[in-house]
Amino acid sequence: MKKNFIYKLLTGVVLISGLSGCLKDNSQPDFTKNKPIIELPIGSSSGNEAANSIAASFTVSNTPADYFVWVNYAAPDANSKDVTITLSVDTAAVSQFNKVNGKSYTLLPTVGYTLASNKITIPAGARKVQFPVKINTAALDPTKTYAFPLTIVDGSGFTISANFARLITIISLKNKWDGVYTVTGTMTDAVNPAITGQYPHDMQLRTQGPNTDAIYDPSQNTFGHGILNGGAGSYYGSFSPLFTIDGASNKITAVVNYYGQPATNGRAAVLDASGVNAFTMSSDGSTPVSFKVKYIMTENGSNRTSFEETWTYKSAR
């Protein structure tokens, strides 16, 4: 018994000594000795040899949109003096990004942006600053997705981050009527009575120009108008109403077929002037509340399907 007691006592002493040794371990890195790094921070590195990316959308307007990219001074302590950072528009980065990620984004043309300078100063005592860019949306094609590539080329003597030196902003354009809507209403197909309205149904308006939007049905993954054919979800082939809207009055002034007027299958779209054909907007005029519209799908010159609908705004797309 006495031997067992001594053995247990010695074992406990050894364990306590081991724990004490762990508590005194100084192997953790000392981050206070890290050298400052200049970077364009985002959530995480792409990790695939292409630039990091971030998405941004802009409403099409004649007034250039303000956009900002953060530039970081990453260090344990704030900088003691002003640090001037130089950036460049790295066009080659877009080609590499598209190749690595299987994308086909269009390089943002020079008419699409304005830089006051390619330099930005992080003031003494600060850790980050916003690099300003003006996006000239009126000069761009709303049907395209653009890529705007920035790269840090000079860190004022400080180390430039290996993983966060390049940032590509993926730019999409929208007008103020663009969005997701819940559609209700009635439709009548004079040719095929088995085709009836699919209401209520969530569909989208997708920007095609500063004052034009086409119907996109996400359930069919296409520009088209959802219908029921014998009770099953479907859509009219090569037919998607493309609305023209007056920017001042928010009235729908015309409807044509997105696929051509007429499309190769003879289908076209015509606005029915007896409808309300107008948007109701939020109090500040920036966001739709709903719109009412009447229009007709013609086929080979004859009226085939009439629509009378209310579109209630649900969310941004």
Side-chain angles (χ1 to χ4, degrees):
M1 280 300 276
K2 187 174 182 180
K3 288 182 179 179
N4 285 340
F5 172 77
I6 293 172
Y7 174 76
K8 291 178 179 178
L9 179 62
L10 289 173
T11 301
V13 170
V14 171
L15 287 172
I16 292 171
S17 298
L19 290 172
S20 298
C22 289
L23 292 173
K24 293 179 181 178
D25 186 2
N26 294 320
S27 62
Q28 292 295 320
D30 183 359
F31 291 107
T32 64
K33 296 180 180 179
N34 284 4
K35 294 181 179 180
I37 293 176
I38 308 301
E39 61 182 9
L40 303 176
I42 59 165
S44 61
S45 173
S46 64
N48 62 5
E49 300 181 0
N52 302 320
S53 64
I54 189 170
S57 63
F58 300 91
T59 300
V60 178
S61 171
N62 290 324
T63 302
D66 290 317
Y67 179 60
F68 300 93
V69 174
W70 285 105
V71 181
N72 260 15
Y73 174 91
D77 300 311
N79 51 312
S80 60
K81 60 181 181 180
D82 289 356
V83 178
T84 299
I85 311 302
T86 304
L87 300 98
S88 73
V89 178
D90 185 2
T91 58
V94 175
S95 297
Q96 183 184 14
F97 185 89
N98 283 338
K99 181 178 179 181
V100 171
N101 293 288
K103 302 295 184 181
S104 56
Y105 298 133
T106 301
L107 172 68
L108 187 68
T110 55
V111 295
Y113 65 91
T114 302
L115 302 180
S117 171
N118 68 330
K119 297 181 183 293
I120 190 74
T121 298
I122 303 176
R127 295 180 182 273
K128 60 183 180 179
V129 70
Q130 290 181 316
F131 180 75
V133 183
K134 293 281 190 182
I135 304 298
N136 305 321
T137 58
L140 302 175
D141 182 350
T143 64
K144 294 182 179 180
T145 302
Y146 293 94
F148 178 60
L150 283 175
T151 297
I152 299 172
V153 294
D154 190 294
S156 204
F158 294 104
T159 301
I160 297 173
S161 172
N163 294 325
F164 294 92
R166 296 178 297 166
L167 179 64
I168 291 181
T169 302
I170 307 302
I171 294 173
S172 58
L173 300 174
K174 301 176 183 179
N175 58 37
K176 64 182 179 180
W177 307 284
D178 188 298
V180 180
Y181 294 77
T182 298
V183 187
T184 57
T186 60
M187 60 160 279
T188 302
D189 188 315
V191 173
N192 185 353
I195 295 178
T196 56
Q198 188 177 23
Y199 304 113
H201 187 51
D202 284 353
M203 291 194 285
Q204 302 173 359
L205 288 188
R206 291 197 172 187
T207 299
Q208 301 302 304
N211 293 83
T212 56
D213 291 83
I215 293 178
Y216 185 91
D217 186 349
S219 71
Q220 300 292 337
N221 196 31
T222 190
F223 284 96
H225 192 297
I227 57 175
L228 294 177
N229 191 349
S234 185
Y235 64 98
Y236 285 116
S238 297
F239 178 74
S240 172
L242 174 67
F243 300 116
T244 298
I245 307 133
D246 180 80
S249 66
N250 295 297
K251 290 183 178 180
I252 299 170
T253 59
V255 181
V256 296
N257 188 358
Y258 168 84
Y259 292 97
Q261 189 75 354
T264 55
N265 61 1
R267 290 173 178 166
V270 179
L271 187 66
D272 184 339
S274 68
V276 175
N277 301 331
F279 282 77
T280 298
M281 304 295 289
S282 60
S283 57
D284 64 359
S286 64
T287 307
V289 175
S290 64
F291 72 92
K292 295 179 182 293
V293 64
K294 288 180 72 174
Y295 55 98
I296 299 166
M297 183 184 80
T298 66
E299 191 168 277
N300 298 319
S302 299
N303 292 353
R304 172 171 172 174
T305 305
S306 60
F307 301 83
E308 184 171 7
E309 297 174 330
T310 297
W311 291 56
T312 302
Y313 186 80
K314 188 174 181 181
S315 66
R317 177 170 60 84

